Amino acid sequence: MGNFGRVPVGVVGASDYGGVQLVRLLMDHPEVELVYLGNESSIGKPFADLYPQLAHAVNQKIEAVDPEVIAQRCEAVFLCLPNGQACEIAPQLLEKGCKVLDLSADYRFSHLATYTAWYSKERKDRSTAALAVYGLPELYRDRLTEAQLVGCPGCYPTASLLALSPLLKQGLIVPETAIIDAKSGTSGSGRQAKINMLLAEADNSLAAYSVSRHHHTPEIEQICSDLAGHEVTIQFTPHLIPMVRGILATVYSTLRDPGLVRDDLITIYRAFYRNSPWVKICDPGIYPQTKWAYGSNLCYIGIEVDPRTGRAIVISVIDNLIKGQAGQAIQCLNIMMDWDETLGLPKLGFYP
Amino acid sequence: MGNFGRVPVGVVGASDYGGVQLVRLLMDHPEVELVYLGNESSIGKPFADLYPQLAHAVNQKIEAVDPEVIAQRCEAVFLCLPNGQACEIAPQLLEKGCKVLDLSADYRFSHLATYTAWYSKERKDRSTAALAVYGLPELYRDRLTEAQLVGCPGCYPTASLLALSPLLKQGLIVPETAIIDAKSGTSGSGRQAKINMLLAEADNSLAAYSVSRHHHTPEIEQICSDLAGHEVTIQFTPHLIPMVRGILATVYSTLRDPGLVRDDLITIYRAFYRNSPWVKICDPGIYPQTKWAYGSNLCYIGIEVDPRTGRAIVISVIDNLIKGQAGQAIQCLNIMMDWDETLGLPKLGFYP
Amino acid sequence: MGNFGRVPVGVVGASDYGGVQLVRLLMDHPEVELVYLGNESSIGKPFADLYPQLAHAVNQKIEAVDPEVIAQRCEAVFLCLPNGQACEIAPQLLEKGCKVLDLSADYRFSHLATYTAWYSKERKDRSTAALAVYGLPELYRDRLTEAQLVGCPGCYPTASLLALSPLLKQGLIVPETAIIDAKSGTSGSGRQAKINMLLAEADNSLAAYSVSRHHHTPEIEQICSDLAGHEVTIQFTPHLIPMVRGILATVYSTLRDPGLVRDDLITIYRAFYRNSPWVKICDPGIYPQTKWAYGSNLCYIGIEVDPRTGRAIVISVIDNLIKGQAGQAIQCLNIMMDWDETLGLPKLGFYP
Amino acid sequence: MGNFGRVPVGVVGASDYGGVQLVRLLMDHPEVELVYLGNESSIGKPFADLYPQLAHAVNQKIEAVDPEVIAQRCEAVFLCLPNGQACEIAPQLLEKGCKVLDLSADYRFSHLATYTAWYSKERKDRSTAALAVYGLPELYRDRLTEAQLVGCPGCYPTASLLALSPLLKQGLIVPETAIIDAKSGTSGSGRQAKINMLLAEADNSLAAYSVSRHHHTPEIEQICSDLAGHEVTIQFTPHLIPMVRGILATVYSTLRDPGLVRDDLITIYRAFYRNSPWVKICDPGIYPQTKWAYGSNLCYIGIEVDPRTGRAIVISVIDNLIKGQAGQAIQCLNIMMDWDETLGLPKLGFYP
């Protein structure tokens, strides 16, 4: 296959679920060529040692993470590193002209103090951080066009913000009444050996975790504040669901105007996402299930208004590893490169 | 085994999951003897035709549902019938001196108008309904002592009310801020062939349903109103989780006193449930998972206060078929018979 | 999007899992246009009523099944009908020049007597049946090039035959020692409401079924006999696994030459499937898991020889709805149309 | 509750799934008192730190593993230690008069050379090992009556041997034709953090492992050889199933007498297990599912004869952590103590 003219890209930290999704999706992308796979462990080993099922498709070896080499070979690079590591190499990559899409939390915050408070990590790259664009295309498409550095959103914030944004942006709700009850499959916790993520522990069970202190909270609040035009505090509770992939966010908030009905909101949401090919608003009375989005970059949103309580209940679903992670990063790249936003991304979910 | 002196009991509608749980639990109960299994279909067939794994343990046949016969043979009877059917036979059973524990919605409502509005069923047994006690022992233990007719709670209301009651009873929260985001395994929908409950559809997926109009809402509101001392409207949203058994309710509400902290609430909850052997309040920072309650009659409650939002977040878990259905009915019988409340019920969950 | 020059195709019986897979895959196929969706129920309704998640992508309505109309509009048609129904319309479709790919059992048997014996259905289309080619491209690629009518293999036979064929074809095993212990996800039983397929029944459980009399047995035997050059009887046992998709077949057989070792067999298999892009032979010591094939048209095969018993143990995995059903049918169409065999089919599994 | 007169017992290595099952079951056992919980890690910590859901029920602390102390306090002790560790302390425990039930592989083998060959561990306790009785009560009930040291069977051997024994003992099959295709839930691999046991990896997937070299093979062969009266080699293949608990073994073997039919075998099995309360032979045409045994000490066996191939196909199911581990150990203790074999063990599975 001739890749003449394709844009060379790389993935740093390709061993985890986000990384392997990127590899799989980038190999199907018609405009890029995956020329570099880096990881600080397993250097020199074939990538297929980690994922033997890809042995016939990926013959690359894992290379050391050297920003100089990466920038030389790649026009854009995806960083899938633990929090606090992307900010160690991003400045050098940018300096050498490489576009950077960071999938960690390092470049999601406009106020580094918030990052430091919630992630307990000091930072020395203030000027670089100031360049970062928050990679939620449905909200920041215009800024992404010019971006060199993208802080790709967390999985929960993606589902939560797509559900909340139209209400906040239009001033339809009382922001501090917003409660996000989020549910995620266990792949969100990555390919790390943890006892509580064993099938024997997590299957056929269900639990909340990090109640009132999950570190996706400030990320959600930052964007909500941006949309509302003032500081907003949000209630966010994540739950672990006995399934591999998918996030569902159930978002409650009190409407300012008690006369608004479901059909009004559906109209407002459809207008808001008119130019967003990856967001689908369900017909009245239809609530999405996570499986609809399974394997695709889609976000489905179902909307209800409870006239008895005056609340809007908005339900969004995504595939946490695609729209919630790898797919959204590629969507950002598409925009940065001025390609069609849907290029190379799976358009139909996988059912059943 | 000599059953001399045991109390003869029966189960009507034994074919569904609630019924088979009752059969299994009653067979292990030291003070009762299961003498009657009724169903309007499969009359004359061995019960083990429905559940072949019980062939060695249950040799009874399914009999017709004749109140006269039931009352003659049983001192107490459990009704596991579709909504609207228990009220057809309960009056006759009671008249003949048989204690009745109804697991449907028929006898849960003190105002039959509410029942009629949400269940779309007319009722002619007003005087009988007035005798019914709501079978949540942790709230109505005293009244159950004297009860002849018990309306056993729904599974969602059990988890929700055990989480909310101490806050409402003590007046600690603003009742109308209460939001119950509930999650249930699929056994809650019974042993009916439905496409959306197929493993191929429901596994590895997640969805909300009946948003803002689930018929457990008025049941929860009725008891909340009773506890609050005035009419209360509650937001209730159920979700379907890809697992067989278990309910987790995440309950949000705004505290009246912003100075209350988590440890205060834990103390209050422990005091409230001091005499309730089936409710366990978790230590600070511990949130229960549904699997802890799996196979037992236990309810675990975890408590958090978010000082940023001033909300209490209370998380309760139960086994929907035991504490949420069959086990709770037996707990009620124990109280009605003046036996130890824990008699014959599984005291330890099943793990992993 | 301009579909000028694309081959018009149709799907009859599009409501079940096989049908919806075909729809999804055909929409991504660069050389075909899906112009017809037929079903005898739901005529006139939008296809998206059955699968609301496809509302944005499929705007076609379900049409009546009229062979005349189908043949007029479609160059090729996929039949996803219950056994015994494809043979009612295939003759007319063929007569009018339409290529037919049947996913039922109707055209899998060269001896209709075998079909009648195992499926208890009389047949009147003997001459049509004689034209059918068995649609397992890895064995019958040449014949498919000329085929007008294809009997697409069952899901179990696909996994079983890909595992067994090299051994039988080369005469390396004693055919009657072959035992196929097969395991399948529940989507194999289709989108029918059946109690034993409920998540509450099938999840966290495991069972064999149709032991010694599953109707895929004669299909496997027919092809094995063809490969062995004489009548062969095979032991075949299917099991239901608590998962949605995937088949794994563990195939035992006694080697004629006790000197053969694992590496010999791996070499033989790789040579046998040299020109088969969808079959991947694992490296020594690697056994495939079904998830590797998930969402792709791939078949992975792992091979072991037990020197203690003289047996080969061959393990194959496929996605039962893709290589085991819809994907393989499209692979056959690709061959019939003289396109690349891999066209329009997902090349990489979906992980995790 | 007064435990006067109860037999004091202990559990060493109580932190893993086998251990917590033992704790749960022993707490419900009417004749024993659990007086000791030992582990080499977590000494001094409450057991409930490992399993918070048991905080209300188990208030014991984890103690160091000192054989002297254990023997002083316990009349019998269960050892749940990694292979190679039980044999370090069992001799001392026995010497001091303590009955020992070992759940590891250390005392399963009559020929230590076999153990050494498959487990790669040297042994110095030859004389102690010679005293051990293999703890499968259905085969060795008489010897267990007198036993001081029991080597409790592995989970796979339990399911496999209960399925095969009647055929071998009666000489009805050709032993070397026996093939055991076994399937297990992931709890069998214990509470260890392993990537391949993560829900994200193992759920919705299926794989074989340790093909032709699983270390339960020689254990099965040893007992089969004992039953057959000569050395027997068996084909054994384990598979990992996406579920928490349960084993199903599908056992194939060629009948010596081709005239035997299914009903003959059912009669033979029922006679063979006449005095075995935990083994249930299914009616003709009924095959057990693992969920039937879920949470109980039961083994269900379904039987088929395929007249086309002359093979018996026997299917057994157990709960791998109860009859396959903790429950069977307690069953052995019951026999050693001359109690009813069913004492304190769950008699009915848990459904759904």
Side-chain angles (χ1 to χ4, degrees):
Chain A
M1 92 184 86
N3 290 322
F4 184 73
R6 292 197 179 196
V7 170
V9 303
V11 175
V12 177
S15 63
D16 210 327
Y17 293 142
V20 74
Q21 292 301 316
L22 274 171
V23 169
R24 193 174 67 87
L25 294 171
L26 290 169
M27 292 188 64
D28 273 350
H29 195 293
E31 294 290 345
V32 308
E33 182 176 13
L34 183 58
V35 299
Y36 168 85
L37 282 173
N39 220 50
E40 270 314 287
S41 66
S42 313
I43 295 171
K45 280 198 185 169
F47 180 71
D49 278 11
L50 299 175
Y51 294 97
Q53 70 269 35
L54 299 179
H56 64 284
V58 186
N59 55 17
Q60 275 153 301
K61 293 205 164 122
I62 294 170
E63 303 182 50
V65 182
D66 179 338
E68 192 105 15
V69 173
I70 298 169
Q72 241 165 16
R73 284 167 46 199
C74 303
E75 195 169 325
V77 66
F78 298 88
L79 305 182
C80 304
L81 293 166
N83 296 322
Q85 294 190 12
C87 60
E88 300 287 336
I89 62 166
Q92 295 164 262
L93 290 164
L94 290 164
E95 198 182 295
K96 297 187 188 304
C98 188
K99 288 180 169 59
V100 175
L101 298 109
D102 177 29
L103 284 78
S104 82
D106 284 10
Y107 292 106
R108 293 175 188 162
F109 292 90
S110 44
H111 300 287
L112 279 187
T114 308
Y115 175 88
T116 303
W118 286 79
Y119 288 84
S120 310
K121 288 184 203 297
E122 286 304 317
R123 289 283 290 275
K124 296 168 252 171
D125 57 330
R126 190 163 304 273
S127 61
T128 306
L131 304 172
V133 176
Y134 188 71
L136 192 59
E138 287 73 16
L139 296 183
Y140 301 105
R141 193 173 279 116
D142 290 348
R143 296 182 54 198
L144 286 167
T145 317
E146 311 293 325
Q148 296 298 312
L149 171 60
V150 175
C152 295
C155 50
Y156 284 127
T158 297
S160 303
L161 292 168
L162 292 175
L164 255 180
S165 294
L167 296 175
L168 280 169
K169 183 76 178 178
Q170 318 279 3
L172 300 174
I173 56 165
V174 186
E176 38 282 347
T177 62
I179 292 178
I180 300 164
D181 191 281
K183 298 95 177 164
S184 174
T186 68
S187 63
S189 92
R191 205 188 201 199
Q192 320 302 327
K194 298 176 195 163
I195 282 181
N196 66 328
M197 296 297 164
L198 292 175
L199 188 146
E201 299 277 320
D203 193 30
N204 238 359
S205 198
L206 174 63
Y209 66 100
S210 300
V211 180
S212 82
R213 61 174 179 280
H214 192 276
H215 59 207
H216 281 169
T217 309
E219 182 182 338
I220 295 168
E221 288 178 342
Q222 167 182 276
I223 309 302
C224 286
S225 301
D226 187 22
L227 292 165
H230 61 89
E231 284 291 303
V232 169
T233 304
I234 299 283
Q235 192 76 56
F236 173 72
T237 313
H239 297 76
L240 200 65
I241 302 296
M243 64 182 191
V244 178
R245 292 168 83 132
I247 283 180
L248 182 144
T250 311
V251 182
Y252 303 88
S253 60
T254 299
L255 292 165
R256 286 192 199 279
D257 175 355
L260 280 173
V261 297
R262 181 173 68 184
D263 284 3
D264 298 331
L265 293 199
I266 289 177
T267 303
I268 289 164
Y269 271 70
R270 288 194 167 146
F272 190 90
Y273 289 118
R274 192 186 308 115
N275 299 316
S276 292
W278 292 114
V279 180
K280 305 296 174 194
I281 310 302
C282 297
D283 284 342
I286 304 284
Y287 314 126
Q289 61 177 117
T290 54
K291 200 181 274 188
W292 291 7
Y294 205 73
S296 82
N297 198 50
L298 290 163
C299 173
Y300 289 92
I301 295 178
I303 295 166
E304 199 57 68
V305 170
D306 189 342
R308 301 167 68 255
T309 63
R311 287 198 191 90
I313 300 121
V314 184
I315 295 154
S316 62
V317 303
I318 58 169
D319 183 322
N320 59 310
L321 298 179
I322 304 195
K323 180 61 177 167
Q325 194 176 32
Q328 183 151 269
I330 293 173
Q331 186 185 354
C332 289
L333 179 69
N334 286 343
I335 294 169
M336 292 159 81
M337 300 300 295
D338 206 21
W339 296 329
D340 183 314
E341 192 171 328
T342 64
L343 209 67
L345 290 168
K347 289 175 190 60
L348 292 175
F350 195 74
Y351 199 89
Chain B
M1 95 185 81
N3 289 324
F4 184 73
R6 292 196 178 196
V7 170
V9 303
V11 175
V12 178
S15 62
D16 210 326
Y17 293 143
V20 73
Q21 293 300 317
L22 274 170
V23 170
R24 194 175 67 87
L25 293 172
L26 291 170
M27 291 189 64
D28 274 350
H29 195 293
E31 294 290 346
V32 308
E33 183 177 14
L34 183 56
V35 299
Y36 168 85
L37 283 173
N39 221 49
E40 270 312 290
S41 66
S42 313
I43 295 171
K45 280 199 183 170
F47 180 70
D49 278 12
L50 299 175
Y51 294 98
Q53 71 268 36
L54 298 180
H56 64 285
V58 185
N59 55 17
Q60 276 153 300
K61 294 206 164 119
I62 294 170
E63 303 183 51
V65 182
D66 179 339
E68 191 104 14
V69 173
I70 297 169
Q72 240 164 16
R73 283 165 49 194
C74 303
E75 194 168 327
V77 66
F78 298 87
L79 305 183
C80 304
L81 294 166
N83 296 323
Q85 294 190 11
C87 60
E88 300 288 336
I89 62 166
Q92 294 165 263
L93 290 164
L94 289 164
E95 197 183 297
K96 295 186 188 304
C98 188
K99 289 180 168 59
V100 175
L101 298 110
D102 177 30
L103 284 80
S104 82
D106 284 11
Y107 292 107
R108 293 174 188 163
F109 292 90
S110 43
H111 299 288
L112 279 187
T114 309
Y115 174 88
T116 302
W118 287 78
Y119 288 84
S120 310
K121 287 184 204 297
E122 287 304 318
R123 288 284 288 276
K124 294 170 251 169
D125 58 330
R126 191 163 304 273
S127 60
T128 305
L131 303 173
V133 175
Y134 188 71
L136 192 59
E138 287 73 16
L139 296 182
Y140 301 106
R141 194 173 279 116
D142 289 349
R143 296 182 53 198
L144 285 167
T145 317
E146 310 292 326
Q148 296 298 311
L149 170 61
V150 176
C152 295
C155 50
Y156 284 127
T158 297
S160 303
L161 293 168
L162 291 176
L164 256 180
S165 294
L167 296 174
L168 280 168
K169 183 75 177 178
Q170 317 279 3
L172 300 173
I173 57 166
V174 186
E176 37 281 348
T177 63
I179 293 177
I180 300 164
D181 191 280
K183 297 95 175 163
S184 174
T186 68
S187 63
S189 92
R191 205 189 200 197
Q192 320 301 328
K194 298 176 194 162
I195 282 181
N196 65 328
M197 296 297 163
L198 292 175
L199 188 146
E201 299 277 320
D203 194 31
N204 236 1
S205 198
L206 173 64
Y209 66 102
S210 300
V211 181
S212 82
R213 60 172 180 279
H214 191 277
H215 59 207
H216 280 169
T217 309
E219 183 182 337
I220 295 169
E221 289 179 341
Q222 168 182 276
I223 308 301
C224 287
S225 301
D226 187 22
L227 292 165
H230 61 90
E231 284 290 304
V232 169
T233 303
I234 300 282
Q235 192 77 56
F236 172 71
T237 313
H239 298 76
L240 199 65
I241 303 295
M243 64 183 190
V244 178
R245 291 168 84 132
I247 283 180
L248 182 145
T250 311
V251 182
Y252 303 89
S253 59
T254 299
L255 292 165
R256 287 192 198 278
D257 175 356
L260 279 174
V261 297
R262 180 174 68 184
D263 284 3
D264 298 332
L265 292 199
I266 289 177
T267 303
I268 289 164
Y269 272 69
R270 287 194 167 145
F272 190 90
Y273 290 118
R274 192 186 309 114
N275 299 316
S276 291
W278 292 114
V279 180
K280 304 297 174 193
I281 309 303
C282 296
D283 283 342
I286 304 284
Y287 313 126
Q289 60 177 118
T290 54
K291 200 181 272 189
W292 291 6
Y294 205 72
S296 82
N297 198 50
L298 290 163
C299 173
Y300 289 92
I301 296 178
I303 295 165
E304 198 57 70
V305 169
D306 189 343
R308 301 167 67 255
T309 63
R311 287 197 191 89
I313 301 120
V314 184
I315 295 154
S316 61
V317 303
I318 59 169
D319 184 321
N320 61 308
L321 298 179
I322 304 196
K323 181 61 177 167
Q325 194 176 32
Q328 183 151 266
I330 293 173
Q331 185 185 354
C332 289
L333 179 70
N334 286 343
I335 294 169
M336 292 160 81
M337 300 300 295
D338 206 22
W339 297 328
D340 183 316
E341 192 171 328
T342 64
L343 209 66
L345 289 168
K347 290 174 188 61
L348 293 175
F350 196 72
Y351 200 89
Chain C
M1 94 186 81
N3 290 323
F4 184 74
R6 291 197 179 196
V7 169
V9 303
V11 175
V12 177
S15 63
D16 210 326
Y17 293 142
V20 74
Q21 292 301 316
L22 274 171
V23 169
R24 193 173 68 86
L25 294 172
L26 290 170
M27 291 189 64
D28 273 350
H29 195 293
E31 295 290 346
V32 308
E33 184 177 12
L34 183 57
V35 299
Y36 168 85
L37 283 174
N39 221 49
E40 270 314 288
S41 66
S42 314
I43 295 171
K45 282 200 184 169
F47 180 70
D49 279 10
L50 298 175
Y51 294 97
Q53 70 270 35
L54 298 180
H56 64 285
V58 186
N59 55 16
Q60 276 153 300
K61 293 206 164 120
I62 295 170
E63 303 182 50
V65 182
D66 179 339
E68 191 106 14
V69 173
I70 298 169
Q72 240 163 16
R73 281 164 51 195
C74 303
E75 194 167 328
V77 66
F78 297 88
L79 305 182
C80 304
L81 294 165
N83 296 322
Q85 294 189 12
C87 59
E88 299 288 337
I89 62 166
Q92 294 164 263
L93 290 163
L94 289 165
E95 197 183 297
K96 295 187 188 302
C98 187
K99 287 180 170 58
V100 175
L101 298 109
D102 177 30
L103 283 79
S104 82
D106 285 9
Y107 291 106
R108 293 175 187 161
F109 292 89
S110 43
H111 299 288
L112 279 186
T114 308
Y115 174 87
T116 303
W118 286 78
Y119 288 84
S120 311
K121 289 184 202 295
E122 286 304 318
R123 289 284 288 277
K124 296 169 250 170
D125 58 330
R126 191 164 304 272
S127 61
T128 305
L131 303 172
V133 175
Y134 188 71
L136 192 59
E138 288 73 16
L139 296 183
Y140 301 106
R141 194 173 280 117
D142 290 349
R143 296 182 54 199
L144 285 167
T145 317
E146 312 292 327
Q148 296 298 312
L149 170 61
V150 176
C152 295
C155 51
Y156 284 127
T158 298
S160 303
L161 292 168
L162 291 175
L164 256 180
S165 294
L167 296 175
L168 280 169
K169 182 75 176 177
Q170 317 279 3
L172 299 174
I173 56 166
V174 186
E176 39 280 349
T177 63
I179 293 178
I180 300 165
D181 190 281
K183 297 96 176 164
S184 175
T186 68
S187 63
S189 92
R191 205 188 199 198
Q192 321 301 328
K194 297 177 194 161
I195 283 182
N196 66 327
M197 295 297 164
L198 292 174
L199 187 146
E201 299 276 320
D203 193 31
N204 237 359
S205 198
L206 173 64
Y209 66 101
S210 299
V211 181
S212 82
R213 61 173 179 277
H214 191 277
H215 59 207
H216 281 168
T217 309
E219 183 182 337
I220 296 168
E221 289 178 342
Q222 168 183 276
I223 309 301
C224 287
S225 300
D226 186 22
L227 292 165
H230 61 90
E231 285 290 304
V232 169
T233 305
I234 300 282
Q235 193 76 56
F236 172 71
T237 313
H239 297 75
L240 200 65
I241 302 296
M243 64 182 190
V244 178
R245 291 166 83 131
I247 283 179
L248 183 145
T250 311
V251 182
Y252 303 88
S253 60
T254 299
L255 292 164
R256 286 191 199 281
D257 175 355
L260 279 175
V261 297
R262 181 173 68 183
D263 284 4
D264 298 331
L265 291 199
I266 289 177
T267 304
I268 290 164
Y269 272 70
R270 288 193 167 147
F272 190 91
Y273 289 118
R274 192 187 310 115
N275 299 316
S276 292
W278 292 115
V279 180
K280 305 296 174 192
I281 309 303
C282 297
D283 283 342
I286 304 285
Y287 313 125
Q289 61 177 117
T290 53
K291 199 182 273 191
W292 292 6
Y294 205 73
S296 82
N297 198 50
L298 290 163
C299 174
Y300 289 92
I301 295 178
I303 295 166
E304 198 57 69
V305 169
D306 188 343
R308 301 168 68 255
T309 63
R311 287 197 191 90
I313 300 120
V314 184
I315 296 154
S316 61
V317 303
I318 58 169
D319 183 322
N320 60 309
L321 298 178
I322 304 195
K323 181 60 177 167
Q325 195 176 31
Q328 183 151 268
I330 293 173
Q331 185 184 354
C332 288
L333 179 69
N334 286 343
I335 294 169
M336 291 159 82
M337 300 300 295
D338 206 22
W339 297 329
D340 184 315
E341 190 171 331
T342 65
L343 209 66
L345 289 168
K347 289 174 189 60
L348 293 174
F350 195 74
Y351 199 88
Chain D
M1 98 184 80
N3 289 323
F4 184 74
R6 291 195 180 198
V7 170
V9 303
V11 175
V12 178
S15 63
D16 210 326
Y17 293 142
V20 73
Q21 292 300 317
L22 274 171
V23 169
R24 194 174 67 87
L25 293 172
L26 290 169
M27 290 188 65
D28 274 349
H29 195 292
E31 294 290 346
V32 309
E33 183 177 14
L34 182 57
V35 299
Y36 168 86
L37 283 174
N39 221 50
E40 269 314 287
S41 65
S42 315
I43 295 171
K45 281 199 183 170
F47 180 70
D49 278 11
L50 299 175
Y51 294 97
Q53 70 270 34
L54 298 180
H56 64 284
V58 185
N59 54 17
Q60 276 153 300
K61 293 203 165 125
I62 294 170
E63 304 183 49
V65 182
D66 179 339
E68 191 105 15
V69 173
I70 298 170
Q72 242 164 15
R73 282 165 49 196
C74 303
E75 195 167 327
V77 66
F78 297 87
L79 305 182
C80 303
L81 293 165
N83 296 323
Q85 295 189 11
C87 61
E88 299 287 336
I89 62 166
Q92 294 165 262
L93 289 163
L94 289 165
E95 199 182 295
K96 295 185 190 303
C98 188
K99 288 180 169 58
V100 175
L101 297 108
D102 176 30
L103 282 78
S104 82
D106 284 10
Y107 292 106
R108 293 176 188 161
F109 292 90
S110 44
H111 300 287
L112 278 187
T114 307
Y115 174 88
T116 303
W118 286 78
Y119 289 83
S120 309
K121 288 184 203 298
E122 286 304 318
R123 288 284 289 277
K124 295 169 252 171
D125 58 329
R126 189 164 305 273
S127 60
T128 305
L131 303 172
V133 175
Y134 188 70
L136 192 59
E138 288 73 16
L139 295 182
Y140 301 106
R141 193 173 279 119
D142 290 348
R143 296 183 53 199
L144 286 167
T145 318
E146 311 292 326
Q148 295 298 312
L149 171 60
V150 175
C152 295
C155 51
Y156 283 127
T158 297
S160 303
L161 292 168
L162 291 176
L164 256 180
S165 294
L167 296 175
L168 279 169
K169 182 75 178 178
Q170 317 279 4
L172 300 173
I173 57 166
V174 185
E176 38 281 347
T177 63
I179 293 178
I180 300 164
D181 191 281
K183 297 97 176 164
S184 175
T186 68
S187 62
S189 92
R191 206 188 199 198
Q192 321 300 329
K194 297 177 195 162
I195 283 182
N196 65 328
M197 295 297 164
L198 292 174
L199 188 145
E201 299 277 320
D203 194 31
N204 237 0
S205 197
L206 173 63
Y209 65 102
S210 300
V211 181
S212 83
R213 61 174 179 280
H214 191 277
H215 59 206
H216 281 169
T217 309
E219 183 183 337
I220 296 168
E221 288 178 344
Q222 168 183 275
I223 308 302
C224 287
S225 300
D226 186 21
L227 291 165
H230 61 89
E231 285 290 304
V232 169
T233 303
I234 299 283
Q235 192 76 56
F236 172 72
T237 313
H239 297 76
L240 199 65
I241 302 296
M243 64 182 190
V244 179
R245 292 167 83 132
I247 283 180
L248 182 144
T250 312
V251 183
Y252 303 88
S253 60
T254 299
L255 292 165
R256 287 192 198 280
D257 175 355
L260 278 174
V261 296
R262 180 172 68 183
D263 284 2
D264 298 331
L265 292 199
I266 288 177
T267 303
I268 289 164
Y269 272 70
R270 289 193 166 146
F272 190 90
Y273 289 118
R274 191 186 311 115
N275 300 316
S276 292
W278 292 115
V279 180
K280 304 297 175 192
I281 309 303
C282 297
D283 282 343
I286 305 284
Y287 315 125
Q289 61 176 118
T290 54
K291 200 181 272 188
W292 291 6
Y294 206 73
S296 82
N297 199 50
L298 289 164
C299 173
Y300 289 91
I301 295 177
I303 296 165
E304 198 57 68
V305 169
D306 188 343
R308 301 168 69 254
T309 63
R311 287 197 191 89
I313 300 121
V314 183
I315 295 155
S316 62
V317 303
I318 59 169
D319 183 321
N320 60 309
L321 297 178
I322 303 195
K323 181 60 179 168
Q325 193 176 33
Q328 183 151 268
I330 293 173
Q331 185 185 355
C332 288
L333 179 70
N334 286 343
I335 294 168
M336 292 158 82
M337 301 299 295
D338 207 21
W339 297 329
D340 183 315
E341 191 171 330
T342 64
L343 209 66
L345 289 168
K347 289 174 189 61
L348 293 175
F350 195 73
Y351 200 90

